[in-house]
């Protein structure tokens, strides 16, 4: 049986815009046109985000239309404008009674010190990545999209950094539903496999960390979850980040986990949710491993 990725979650599609010369890019995960229930957990102390407050279980808007991940530090948040533009062209978004407003939470990572420091994914890049995501085609993993300029294992300084990138994995549950994960790994810390084996470690003596890190994760599933459970699944995803990246959630990382559910929004039973959480934990762990493969 073929290996699963986030693209195998029914209703979700993913694509990238990549600038291989200036080493930056963006990644878009599309929900079905009717949207997805979503949640988020921000653990790193240096995040760059947009529309994450809308994902609180008490917020008005219940469904999102896409998630945008981007390089370019805070400049890269502009990529979400292009995602909104493309969705608006298709008439997709939150119904306001006047015009649909696309709901696109976004998060960024810092890659300005790797390629061209003046380069970042702008609105045109986000628009292009959305069109690629609609086709759900092209390379999903590696030095692509938001992971184009990603680096890891920088505890000895950025000059000792090793390449990071995008990894994805998925699991099929006993009831036939799928949970998948996509990881963009630009961590300060070293990267470890699920069994504890060190995959990429810092070379040189540790020194005071510098800004310019972050691990971004999207967990997707067609299992039906309510907004509180989406938030909880994002929290569980951070367990995998802490296992696979050491240290994680530092003052110099902007670590964020999003969750998207394409189900009808009814809550999962407690027993089913425990099984889903375990599968998600393993999928995020494998995606972390693959992000530096």
């Amino acid at each position: 049986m073929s290996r699963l990725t986030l693209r195998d979650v029914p209703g979700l599609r993913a694509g990238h815009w990549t600038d291989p010369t200036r080493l930056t890019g963006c990644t878009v995960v599309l929900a079905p046109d009717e949207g997805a229930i979503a949640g988020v957990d921000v653990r790193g102390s240096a995040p760059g985000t947009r529309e994450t407050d809308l994902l609180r279980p008490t917020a008005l808007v219940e469904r999102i239309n896409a998630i945008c991940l981007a390089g370019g530090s805070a400049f890269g948040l502009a990529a979400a404008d292009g995602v909104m533009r493309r969705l608006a062209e298709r008439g997709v978004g939150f119904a306001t009674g006047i015009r649909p407003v696309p709901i696109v939470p976004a998060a960024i990572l810092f890659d300005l010190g790797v390629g061209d420091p003046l380069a970042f994914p702008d609105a045109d890049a986000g628009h292009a990545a959305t069109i690629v995501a609609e086709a759900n085609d092209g390379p999903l993993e590696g030095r692509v999209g938001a992971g184009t300029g990603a680096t890891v294992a920088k505890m000895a300084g950025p000059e000792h950094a090793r390449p990071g990138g995008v990894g994805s994995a998925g699991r099929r549950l006993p009831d036939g539903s799928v949970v998948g994960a996509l990881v963009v790994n630009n961590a300060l810390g070293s990267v470890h496999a699920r069994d504890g084996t060190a995959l990429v470690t810092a070379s040189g003596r540790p020194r005071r960390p510098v800004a310019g890190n972050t691990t971004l994760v999207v967990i997707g599933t067609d299992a039906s979850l309510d907004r509180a459970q989406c938030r909880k699944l994002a929290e569980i995803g951070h367990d995998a980040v802490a296992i696979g990246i050491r240290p994680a959630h530092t003052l110099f990382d902007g670590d964020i986990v999003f969750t998207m559910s394409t189900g009808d929004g009814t809550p999962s039973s407690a027993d089913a949710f425990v099984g889903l959480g375990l599968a998600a934990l393993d999928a995020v762990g494998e995606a972390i491993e693959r992000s530096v493969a």
Side-chain angles (χ1 to χ4, degrees):
M1 186 171 62
S2 62
R3 193 180 64 82
L4 299 179
T5 71
L6 185 71
R7 281 179 170 162
D8 291 296
V9 176
L12 295 186
R13 294 168 289 168
H16 307 290
W17 175 86
T18 301
D19 185 337
T21 301
R22 299 194 294 173
L23 297 181
T24 194
C26 60
T27 298
V28 173
V29 180
L30 283 178
D33 286 354
E34 64 272 19
I37 306 294
V40 68
D41 187 15
V42 181
R43 295 278 180 95
S45 296
T49 61
R50 166 174 166 160
E51 298 277 45
T52 51
D53 282 350
L54 272 177
L55 303 185
R56 292 178 298 182
T58 55
L60 169 66
V61 177
E62 293 191 350
R63 292 179 176 267
I64 68 169
N65 303 112
I67 289 174
C68 179
L69 311 176
S73 189
F75 298 108
L77 290 172
D81 292 335
V83 183
M84 288 189 67
R85 188 197 335 150
R86 175 58 183 169
L87 292 171
E89 290 169 358
R90 295 176 45 225
V92 173
F94 176 72
T96 66
I98 299 172
R99 62 173 292 187
V101 176
I103 306 300
V104 184
I108 52 86
L109 56 81
F110 188 100
D111 57 9
L112 302 181
V114 178
D116 183 347
L118 300 181
F120 61 90
D122 59 10
D124 288 342
H127 188 274
T130 308
I131 291 174
V132 175
E134 289 169 2
N136 206 30
D137 199 10
L140 182 61
E141 299 179 298
R143 301 275 284 175
V144 293
T148 304
T151 54
V152 299
K154 290 167 275 191
M155 288 296 292
E159 67 274 16
H160 295 288
R162 301 280 296 280
V166 177
S168 187
R171 299 289 183 270
R172 192 174 302 279
L173 281 74
D175 65 0
S177 60
V178 176
V179 61
L182 182 142
V183 170
V184 186
N185 197 347
N186 188 54
L188 173 68
S190 298
V191 182
H192 294 254
R194 286 161 290 169
D195 65 3
T197 303
L199 299 177
V200 183
T201 58
S203 59
R205 297 181 60 185
R207 69 186 211 197
R208 183 184 182 276
V210 296
N213 312 291
T214 290
T215 300
L216 305 176
V217 180
V218 177
I219 299 172
T221 184
D222 61 334
S224 184
L225 304 175
D226 64 16
R227 287 190 286 175
Q229 289 176 325
C230 282
R231 162 70 191 221
K232 188 62 183 178
L233 194 60
E235 293 175 1
I236 292 170
H238 274 293
D239 292 346
V241 173
I243 291 168
I245 296 169
R246 307 176 193 175
H249 310 138
T250 75
L251 283 172
F252 303 92
D253 287 284
D255 299 337
I256 298 171
V257 178
F258 293 97
T259 298
M260 303 172 74
S261 166
T262 60
D264 62 12
T266 58
S268 170
S269 70
D271 288 347
F273 185 78
V274 169
L276 176 64
L278 290 172
L281 185 70
D282 200 45
V284 175
E286 183 184 350
I288 289 170
E289 296 169 10
R290 296 187 62 83
S291 71
V292 294

